[in-house]
Amino acid sequence: MSAGDHTELPVLVGRDSERALLREALDQARAGCGGAVFVVGGDGLGKSRLTLEATHHGRQAGMAVLVGRAGSTGRAVALRPLTEALAPLSRTEPVLEHASLRPYRSALGRLIPQDLSVGTAGPPSPVLLAEAVLRLLSVTGAGRGCLLALEDLHDTDPATLAVVEYLADNLADQGVLLLATLRAEPGPAWDLAQALGRRCSGTVLRLEPLSRRAVRLLVASRLGLAPERIAEPVLDRLCRDSAGNPFLAAELLRAMLDSGNLVVHDDGCRLVDGVPTEVPPTVRRSVTDQADRLGPAGRHLLTAAAVIGERFPVSVLGLALKMGQDDLLRHLRAAVTAGLVTAEGGDHDWYAFRTMTTAVALLGQLTPTDRAALAHQAVDAVNELHPGLPGDWCRFTARLTRLAGDVPGAVRLLALAGRRDLNAGRLRSAADTLDGAWRLAAGVDVALRADVLHELLCALLESGEAGRGLRLLDSLDDLCHPAVPPERLAAVHVLFARLALLAGRRTDAAAQLDSARTLLGPGASERQTAPVDAVAAHLGLDAPGRATRLATRAAAAAESAGLPGVACLGWQARGVLARRTGPEGAQPCFTRMRRIAERHHLPLWRTRAAALLAEQRWLLTGDADALARSAERARQLGAHALRHAVDVRLAWDHALRAEYAEAERLVEECTTDAQRLGLGESAPLLSLVRAVCAGHRGRRHELDAALAGLSGDGEPVAALAHGMAAAVCALLEEDPARARRELDRAAAYDAGCPAPYPLAGQHGLALLLAVLPGDADRRLCGDAGGTPAGRLHWNRQFVLLARAVLLGRRGDREAAGATVAALRRTPTHPVALHLGLRLVAPCAHADRWGEPVDWLRGAEEYFRLAGVPAPARACRAQLRDLGVVVPHRRIGSRVPQPLRMIGVTEREYEVLQLMADWSDNRSIASELFISPRTVEKHVASLIAKTEQANRAALSRYAARVREEVRPD
């Protein structure tokens, strides 16, 4: 082989340390210090590629390079790799004529064709032959070094191994490097390499699978792309299917390109969905060869394991094959050593194929009949080992049952597994499993299909995937069959009605309920009609009387009939209806709902009840922490609809807290989720949150756009939007007449179509606006404050302000001031608080109670910083009316906020800064280009505003301000 044969080598990736070791060994051999290196690894890990790299480097360095390979077919030929490696010497130079080799010509004649002298009889001793080869290599590499590369040592004969052992033990002072490759599998070659490594006569170099980074470099080199342009899905798939084996990775990459599954373009590469890729023939042959080397029993074990799956339990495999434990473990150990399978984690019973490609290739060798027979044996083994198929064994056995040809049996098992997941609150797993059962049930018995559809709709309903569930409506036509009991078909219609409600399609929900009632007929039992009544109660929330009767009847019938889920649904409807008048009536309903869920171990219903109770707490106290915990719990369960509903309430809470950026972020996320999942029911509340965000910032155009999303007539949220957003916006525009009109409109909407919460203004803001001009008396205020609705946090702040005004008018100044002080200590809703204080400040001043100047200064500061100019101007005007000097507000004021709150002007702040250095009036005047008299006036004003005793105290205060207070 000439030195120029390998001028263009394939790119070698992920083997930097191995290549460095080989190059160092070659350099040492050239320097006269030989040795032996054994490259060990499974098929396809790159043993031959490393050998090619070494021979290429050796030739470039001018070394003598001799390469031989053991045969991989048939019986091993004695001394074949040595003969192949040394034979070329007879074609290039008369090496045997060298004086030091003449005594060994007879021995070398077995390896190099020569005209041997007559009289040579019988083969030489192994030691003599090995010494002859050692001397021949020394002569060949004299002055330049020699590389002897022997590949596939695992397939060679004992005579070759004896020579290799002798060479490895005696190369230390010779300029020869012995490089041998072999598989990591039990055998004489493996034992020899291990022994030589232990006695330091050779280096064992084990090849490991490529890292993810190395696979990326390999793919990039094959595709001619920069590594960073390799798409992550492409890399994920190759890493998974090849397990870091470079041969598998390269072959699979070629197959993906040939099939069109992988497309390369200027910007990188991408996978094409729906285009299958077959296992390449080269990979199938490689896997088959490796399995064949394990013997007939070992190969049968691997094919049976492939039928069971990419992961397989040893106990099931042994029982299915009726194989003894010792034989089973012996074959498994051989497969592990060959790199075909691997033990999985800490569970001694589970093994897995190292790559999915291996399992697919083995399955390809079986006929459909053989595959079904092995699958049937595995099913029997699982049922014997795990009666009742607990846990994941149900889903595990469903796949084997399908492979065995029993499709209906597989559908039943998947439906059972999905139902178990649903009952345990594993909603995503339940929906995916039941969806698989539904798709598999396409050609099975129609009654079984109806059962599977019912379970699938339950899972989609609980997970909140309304759009996905309603896309199955067309399947109802196929289920109208005498084999499907009317009660089962009615239950399917009820589930479709609940999904339609979730999607905001109330007309479709009503139609589904009508179909369910028709199927059940007039003689239906309460157990059959309870689910229909419960859903009808949710559908008829705009008719509270009838809805309450339906919900009560449904809850009672469901509890007596042992239908806890339906009972929870009925109590939920009762609570939602009661909540319209306040929290007291709703609290017992939601508590009863939670108890039923806990008693019957219904995790989703318990979480839903907890969320409703958390919403009650939020309405009463303004504390949304429990709501946030409910959202996280719903996320963990995979209950998308519940998490979405709670997130909408959290967005509403952020809007009321004036945390508009977070509110708008949540609104966008919820809008995206609603579109993705088909949750149209939340659209009105999302419009309400947008209206609050706009109205509480005085943004009239944005408010009008949000109100346009609420039709008004027949839309219960319209009352909330006008009472909580439009009325507030009008007050921020200093238009109290318009605010009263908005509140009147909200009351009219609420009378016609009751709002889901009593927050439209009648029990709060409207009362305050009636008290301020004297239109409402203390009795009316007390009555409103004592109602359940008046105790809700949003309403209560306005009720307290109204009560304070009436207390002040009655002369109870201390109680009036204390009422407002208590309200200011918990400023949950800053816009409402500052707006309310700005409204009651004139009354407080007139009746001489409270701290109206401080309230107005705080409100002016808040609204000015919030970018709402009208109320800020009104606050300044009221302060002037009260005789308070109001500083001119510059854009970008340098005065720290605490000083602005007490009325410190820009010039006064400049004086205060200089006083921190204890400067006198003349120095300050010189610095600021004003007169000392003016400085004296500013100092006097600062002493009064900061409540300091004298100039010295003011200077100390100024020093603290400089150290502690930072401008906005």
Side-chain angles (χ1 to χ4, degrees):
M1 194 175 289
S2 67
D5 286 346
H6 297 298
T7 55
E8 293 293 336
L9 290 180
V11 175
L12 180 64
V13 297
R15 302 296 184 208
D16 294 342
S17 60
E18 293 88 346
R19 176 164 49 189
L21 186 147
L22 289 177
R23 290 192 174 185
E24 182 180 358
L26 288 168
D27 292 341
Q28 290 179 350
R30 291 174 59 209
C33 183
V37 177
F38 297 89
V39 180
V40 180
D43 289 359
L45 282 179
K47 301 185 296 294
S48 296
R49 178 64 186 84
L50 269 177
T51 302
L52 187 61
E53 185 76 14
T55 58
H56 179 69
H57 183 71
R59 288 192 179 93
Q60 285 188 326
M63 297 177 69
V65 177
L66 306 172
V67 181
R69 183 189 300 273
S72 60
T73 58
R75 298 179 59 184
V77 178
L79 302 172
R80 168 173 171 169
L82 289 170
T83 301
E84 183 179 332
L86 300 177
L89 294 176
S90 65
R91 300 194 294 267
T92 57
E93 53 183 298
V95 67
L96 293 184
E97 298 301 324
H98 196 279
S100 64
L101 296 180
R102 286 174 186 171
Y104 300 97
R105 290 184 64 192
S106 176
L108 292 172
R110 297 188 64 190
L111 303 174
I112 301 177
Q114 290 288 331
D115 181 13
L116 301 178
S117 60
V118 179
T120 302
S125 71
V127 176
L128 181 62
L129 176 61
E131 177 62 24
V133 172
L134 177 59
R135 289 177 178 259
L136 175 60
L137 295 174
S138 298
V139 170
T140 303
R144 55 176 177 161
C146 178
L147 169 63
L148 174 63
L150 303 178
E151 294 199 67
D152 297 338
L153 213 59
H154 46 266
D155 286 329
T156 196
D157 61 296
T160 300
L161 294 179
V163 174
V164 168
E165 181 177 16
Y166 186 89
L167 291 176
D169 285 336
N170 294 277
L171 285 176
D173 57 350
Q174 306 293 322
V176 178
L177 174 64
L178 169 62
L179 175 62
T181 67
L182 65 151
R183 286 196 291 261
E185 60 185 28
W190 171 251
D191 295 340
L192 175 60
Q194 293 289 91
L196 291 172
R198 284 193 296 270
R199 62 180 187 247
C200 299
S201 292
T203 299
V204 178
L205 186 60
R206 295 196 63 126
L207 298 184
E208 300 296 336
L210 297 180
S211 66
R212 182 179 178 88
R213 176 179 176 276
V215 174
R216 181 188 293 276
L217 294 174
L218 174 64
V219 176
S221 67
R222 296 302 176 97
L223 298 181
L225 296 172
E228 61 273 11
R229 293 189 178 277
I230 303 303
E232 292 302 321
V234 175
L235 191 60
D236 291 341
R237 179 168 172 184
L238 285 172
C239 288
R240 181 198 67 196
D241 293 351
S242 70
N245 186 298
F247 166 75
L248 286 180
E251 291 299 313
L252 291 172
L253 179 64
R254 182 181 296 111
M256 291 164 65
L257 287 168
D258 292 343
S259 67
N261 180 234
L262 176 63
V263 176
V264 181
H265 47 81
D266 293 340
D267 295 330
C269 57
R270 62 179 178 85
L271 293 175
V272 179
D273 294 335
V275 178
T277 300
E278 299 292 334
V279 177
T282 52
V283 175
R284 287 201 299 269
R285 284 195 300 270
S286 174
V287 172
T288 302
D289 291 343
Q290 292 178 74
D292 287 342
R293 289 197 293 269
L294 301 178
R299 172 170 178 160
H300 185 54
L301 179 142
L302 283 180
T303 52
V307 170
I308 292 175
E310 187 181 352
R311 298 173 62 251
F312 54 91
V314 174
S315 56
V316 172
L317 181 61
L319 184 59
L321 296 179
K322 303 296 189 289
M323 185 178 288
Q325 186 77 358
D326 292 341
D327 290 339
L328 178 68
L329 294 178
R330 177 168 54 83
H331 290 305
L332 272 177
R333 280 194 294 270
V336 169
T337 303
L340 293 171
V341 300
T342 181
E344 196 170 77
D347 193 338
H348 69 278
D349 193 42
W350 283 88
Y351 280 69
F353 286 95
R354 189 170 291 275
T355 69
M356 185 178 66
T357 308
T358 301
V360 173
L362 289 169
L363 279 176
Q365 307 300 315
L366 294 174
T367 65
T369 303
D370 292 338
R371 192 180 304 179
L374 287 171
H376 187 72
Q377 290 174 291
V379 169
D380 291 342
V382 174
N383 281 303
E384 182 176 340
L385 290 169
H386 305 282
L389 302 177
D392 288 333
W393 289 109
C394 191
R395 192 178 290 103
F396 179 86
T397 309
R399 175 185 170 276
L400 293 172
T401 303
R402 181 185 180 187
L403 283 176
D406 183 6
V407 175
V411 171
R412 291 188 183 91
L413 288 173
L414 285 175
L416 176 59
R419 190 179 308 116
R420 288 175 176 174
D421 284 341
L422 186 59
N423 292 336
R426 297 187 292 268
L427 302 184
R428 179 179 293 276
S429 177
D432 292 344
T433 300
L434 290 165
D435 184 64
W438 173 250
R439 286 185 277 107
L440 186 60
V444 302
D445 173 64
V446 66
L448 177 58
R449 292 192 71 215
D451 291 340
V452 174
L453 179 61
H454 181 273
E455 300 298 336
L456 175 57
L457 293 177
C458 285
L460 295 177
L461 176 65
E462 302 294 15
S463 65
E465 298 181 74
R468 184 177 167 190
L470 291 174
R471 285 194 290 272
L472 297 170
L473 267 170
D474 293 340
S475 60
L476 281 173
D477 295 338
D478 300 332
L479 300 183
C480 294
H481 191 277
V484 181
E487 182 179 356
R488 171 57 78 188
L489 196 54
V492 171
H493 279 286
V494 170
L495 290 172
F496 274 124
R498 292 183 63 187
L499 287 165
L501 265 179
L502 200 58
R505 293 162 53 174
R506 301 176 66 84
T507 302
D508 292 340
Q512 293 297 322
L513 289 181
D514 289 343
S515 298
R517 292 190 189 280
T518 301
L519 285 165
L520 293 174
S525 65
E526 287 189 343
R527 175 187 177 88
Q528 294 172 327
T529 59
V532 182
D533 289 342
V535 180
H538 281 273
L539 180 62
L541 293 178
D542 52 347
R546 180 175 181 274
T548 300
R549 289 192 297 273
L550 287 172
T552 303
R553 185 172 70 188
E559 287 195 61
S560 63
L563 300 173
V566 177
C568 287
L569 186 64
W571 283 112
Q572 181 184 6
R574 281 279 309 272
V576 170
L577 286 162
R579 190 175 58 193
R580 291 178 165 181
T581 59
E584 276 75 2
Q587 191 80 10
C589 298
F590 298 146
T591 302
R592 179 73 171 269
M593 175 183 169
R594 183 177 62 184
R595 288 174 181 168
I596 294 172
E598 290 173 341
R599 186 165 61 247
H600 293 277
H601 308 290
L602 303 176
L604 183 65
W605 278 110
R606 187 189 184 285
T607 303
R608 187 176 284 122
L612 289 167
L613 290 170
E615 186 180 25
Q616 288 287 104
R617 176 180 175 83
W618 170 66
L619 289 168
L620 278 168
T621 68
D623 183 2
D625 290 347
L627 269 179
R629 290 193 295 272
S630 295
E632 176 59 22
R633 177 58 179 157
R635 186 195 64 78
Q636 292 171 354
L637 288 175
H640 303 301
L642 178 57
R643 179 191 55 77
H644 174 80
V646 176
D647 280 347
V648 173
R649 272 71 178 176
L650 288 172
W652 189 9
D653 176 67
H654 284 298
L656 293 176
R657 292 174 181 271
E659 298 166 356
Y660 304 116
E662 182 63 16
E664 289 169 344
R665 183 190 66 79
L666 278 175
V667 166
E668 291 305 313
E669 287 185 3
C670 290
T671 301
T672 301
D673 288 343
Q675 292 171 348
R676 177 173 58 87
L677 298 171
L679 302 175
E681 184 185 34
S682 65
L685 273 179
L686 288 172
S687 294
L688 170 64
V689 178
R690 293 190 186 95
V692 171
C693 286
H696 286 208
R697 286 182 284 184
R699 299 180 178 181
R700 172 61 61 180
H701 294 298
E702 295 179 18
L703 173 63
D704 291 341
L707 291 176
L710 300 169
S711 58
D713 294 337
E715 178 48 68
V717 177
L720 298 178
H722 285 276
M724 298 185 76
V728 171
C729 184
L731 290 173
L732 292 177
E733 294 169 336
E734 293 300 310
D735 190 349
R738 182 168 185 172
R740 291 188 180 90
R741 290 196 299 273
E742 293 289 358
L743 288 168
D744 291 342
R745 184 179 301 175
Y749 283 145
D750 195 36
C753 184
Y757 310 92
L759 301 173
Q762 304 95 303
H763 305 282
L765 182 57
L767 179 65
L768 175 61
L769 294 183
V771 165
L772 291 175
D775 296 338
D777 57 15
R778 183 168 176 271
R779 181 190 58 79
L780 179 60
C781 181
D783 292 344
T787 64
R791 288 195 288 272
L792 296 181
H793 191 69
W794 173 259
N795 292 333
R796 184 166 177 75
Q797 57 194 343
F798 300 114
V799 171
L800 289 175
L801 289 171
R803 183 176 299 167
V805 170
L806 293 173
L807 287 170
R809 286 177 182 167
R810 197 180 64 178
D812 195 345
R813 300 168 185 170
E814 184 177 349
T819 300
V820 175
L823 183 61
R824 294 182 70 192
R825 285 195 292 269
T826 55
T828 307
H829 305 140
V831 171
L833 174 64
H834 288 296
L835 184 60
L837 291 174
R838 171 244 170 299
L839 292 173
V840 303
C843 296
H845 175 71
D847 296 324
R848 293 183 294 173
W849 60 271
E851 300 172 342
V853 172
D854 287 347
W855 302 344
L856 289 171
R857 280 177 173 162
E860 189 276 337
E861 179 78 4
Y862 177 82
F863 288 122
R864 186 179 61 82
L865 294 178
V868 188
R873 287 194 300 268
C875 289
R876 288 196 292 273
Q878 287 185 5
L879 284 168
R880 293 188 185 99
D881 292 342
L882 298 180
V884 177
V885 176
V886 181
H888 176 68
R889 295 300 189 185
R890 300 180 183 177
I891 298 175
S893 173
R894 296 182 300 111
V895 182
Q897 184 177 358
L899 297 181
R900 288 202 302 267
M901 294 292 293
I902 60 176
V904 174
T905 66
E906 293 284 336
R907 180 62 81 183
E908 288 172 346
Y909 180 59
E910 292 173 350
V911 171
L912 187 67
Q913 285 180 304
L914 294 173
M915 288 191 69
D917 297 324
W918 294 79
S919 301
D920 57 20
N921 288 354
R922 188 173 298 278
S923 299
I924 296 173
S926 176
E927 184 73 23
L928 298 180
F929 301 100
I930 57 179
S931 71
R933 177 64 178 164
T934 302
V935 173
E936 183 179 346
K937 291 181 179 179
H938 287 320
V939 170
S941 176
L942 284 169
I943 290 174
K945 290 179 179 179
T946 60
E947 299 179 352
Q948 302 301 311
N950 49 42
R951 184 187 182 98
L954 182 62
S955 293
R956 288 192 291 270
Y957 176 81
R960 292 197 301 271
V961 167
R962 185 167 63 182
E963 293 297 324
E964 300 173 6
V965 181
R966 295 290 183 267
D968 290 350

